[in-house]
Amino acid sequence: MAHVPAEDQLEHIAAAIDEIATADVQRLEQLRTSLLGRKAGALTHVLRSIPALDAEQRRTVGRRANELKHAIESAITARERTLAAAVGTGPAVDRTMPGRRRWRGARHPITQVVDEICGIFRELGFSRIMGPEAETEEYNFTKLNIPLDHPAADMQDTFYLKPGVVLRTHTSPVQARTMERYAPPIRVVVPGLAYRRDPFDPSHAPVFDQIEGLVVDEGVSFVDFKAAIDFFAKRFFSADTAVRFRPSYFPFTEPSAEVDAQCQNCRGTGCSTCKQTGWMEIMGAGMVHPAVFEACGIDSERYTGYAFGMGPARIAMVRYGIPDIRMFFDNDMRFLDQFLE
Ligand code: DAH
């Protein structure tokens, strides 16, 4: 370096001061050594060369070199303080390390569908209520006009908790509890779990969601029911989704119907999802049977009503094209991630 004039060396050193303010621990040590180091420090070198300079240079170079020395020392001290504060007293923290991914929670897709369905019925004036999952045979069967020796009671392959007490096989017993507890007019939807001794397969699960609906008032007719379900299907699926009502049988309704919505996959032309029919079944329903009214203390001469029961998992499968109900139970994040809200 001897051939470089001392003034130029000082300018070079001054240029390095800025870097001190952003240096990490390692780099700060390097800068300290390369500037102030006893053996090879650039500033040390200049200071040592001063005695050999002529009188005029000795003064200017000496003053400037001392200024820089103080500036460097105070910059290093300041940077050390900042780094120490960031690190604390613990081990060094690598602040450049990428953040860890955190899982963000969301409602299960079936819960989302249940909430959405109840929200649509809310617009029609339905309240959302709940009932017990452990239920007596009386409410699960008898009050719904299903005698215990009736095939309908067998039809529902039942989990018994103890004699007379079952895991409810449907949400319909909440109809009876509601009619006993509240006077008409009644408009409720009842989401909840139901249990049947079915093995898991692509379209069955031993525990599944249902939503029960019940309307009781003077002058309620099947037309009111059709209007409500048509509104629901158009709101939930799409404005051009048609529904149809097929005659059916349930002990607790007369007449009874099964309701189909146009297949969301082929829009009614027929595909493998709808077994070429163009329709997907979405619920069982009917006009409340007078025997059920009587069992629940409601005057069947004065009041009429309709009831329906649907499976939100089934409806979610129709809507999203999900081929296997078991996907709702696997909790595979690759599946659930598609339903983040
Ligand atoms: N409880 C029936 C089932 O689980 C579904 C059902 C059918 C509910 C007709 C109703 C109804 O309220 O009116 O299969």
Side-chain angles (χ1 to χ4, degrees):
M1 260 203 196
H3 60 283
V4 180
E7 287 87 345
D8 291 352
Q9 289 183 42
L10 288 176
E11 285 323 299
H12 206 72
I13 291 165
I17 294 181
D18 280 352
E19 201 195 330
I20 293 173
T22 55
D24 65 10
V25 176
Q26 258 184 9
R27 181 68 186 140
L28 193 61
E29 210 39 51
Q30 283 172 2
L31 286 168
R32 190 208 305 277
T33 315
S34 67
L35 295 171
L36 302 177
R38 246 184 237 231
K39 284 186 191 157
L43 193 62
T44 316
H45 181 82
V46 174
L47 287 165
R48 274 194 199 130
S49 71
I50 292 175
L53 301 172
D54 62 45
E56 170 65 18
Q57 265 194 317
R58 236 180 285 166
R59 213 176 314 116
T60 52
V61 171
R63 192 185 304 129
R64 179 74 177 134
N66 271 315
E67 269 172 25
L68 286 178
K69 190 168 184 230
H70 290 131
I72 292 168
E73 281 169 354
S74 61
I76 288 178
T77 309
R79 184 59 185 157
E80 275 172 345
R81 280 208 200 101
T82 310
L83 288 172
V87 169
T89 53
V93 172
D94 179 359
R95 292 187 296 161
T96 64
M97 190 172 84
R100 293 190 178 87
R101 179 181 173 183
R102 294 205 207 165
W103 295 110
R104 191 158 58 80
R107 290 174 302 163
H108 188 276
I110 293 185
T111 307
Q112 290 184 34
V113 165
V114 167
D115 289 347
E116 189 181 336
I117 292 173
C118 291
I120 292 170
F121 282 98
R122 175 85 189 76
E123 292 177 50
L124 295 173
F126 286 67
S127 303
R128 176 177 176 158
I129 60 164
M130 287 175 27
E133 291 176 21
E135 190 53 283
T136 60
E137 282 180 327
E138 195 189 2
Y139 280 95
N140 196 77
F141 299 119
T142 321
K143 282 181 189 276
L144 296 172
N145 199 34
I146 313 171
L148 292 179
D149 58 358
H150 189 280
D154 284 352
M155 211 167 78
Q156 327 238 21
D157 228 355
T158 309
F159 285 115
Y160 274 82
L161 295 175
K162 61 182 185 185
V165 181
V166 304
L167 285 174
R168 66 182 177 194
T169 58
H170 49 181
T171 45
S172 302
V174 190
Q175 284 188 35
R177 291 186 174 276
T178 306
M179 287 188 275
E180 287 181 349
R181 186 155 170 194
Y182 304 105
I186 293 169
R187 299 173 91 78
V188 292
V189 278
V190 191
L193 293 173
Y195 301 82
R196 282 181 209 172
R197 297 182 53 139
D198 284 331
F200 270 113
D201 72 24
S203 52
H204 294 89
V207 50
F208 52 95
D209 280 84
Q210 280 199 332
I211 299 178
E212 194 77 16
L214 176 67
V215 170
V216 181
D217 202 351
E218 288 179 25
V220 174
S221 75
F222 203 85
V223 171
D224 298 304
F225 170 63
K226 286 177 91 168
I229 295 314
D230 192 58
F231 175 86
F232 161 72
K234 289 185 164 42
R235 191 54 151 254
F236 184 81
F237 293 113
S238 63
D240 60 349
T241 297
V243 288
R244 71 174 185 183
F245 301 77
R246 283 179 290 110
S248 185
Y249 171 77
F250 298 102
F252 32 93
T253 45
E254 179 59 36
S256 301
E258 271 163 332
V259 181
D260 299 337
Q262 239 167 10
C263 177
Q264 297 299 300
N265 188 39
C266 61
R267 313 246 24 119
T269 56
C271 67
S272 61
T273 311
C274 59
K275 299 200 180 80
Q276 309 305 328
T277 62
W279 298 93
M280 305 286 296
E281 187 190 323
I282 57 168
M283 68 179 78
M287 299 304 291
V288 178
H289 197 294
V292 175
F293 278 140
E294 296 307 326
C296 301
I298 286 191
D299 181 355
S300 63
E301 294 295 324
R302 180 169 170 199
Y303 294 105
T304 52
Y306 63 81
F308 55 87
M310 55 182 147
R314 234 194 116 69
I315 290 176
M317 289 166 77
V318 171
R319 183 198 235 180
Y320 298 117
I322 296 166
D324 192 319
I325 199 170
R326 291 172 292 190
M327 295 176 117
F328 290 123
F329 294 84
D330 290 339
N331 289 331
D332 183 330
M333 289 309 293
R334 292 168 299 180
F335 174 74
L336 294 178
D337 261 355
Q338 300 176 77
F339 299 93
L340 282 185
E341 297 168 80

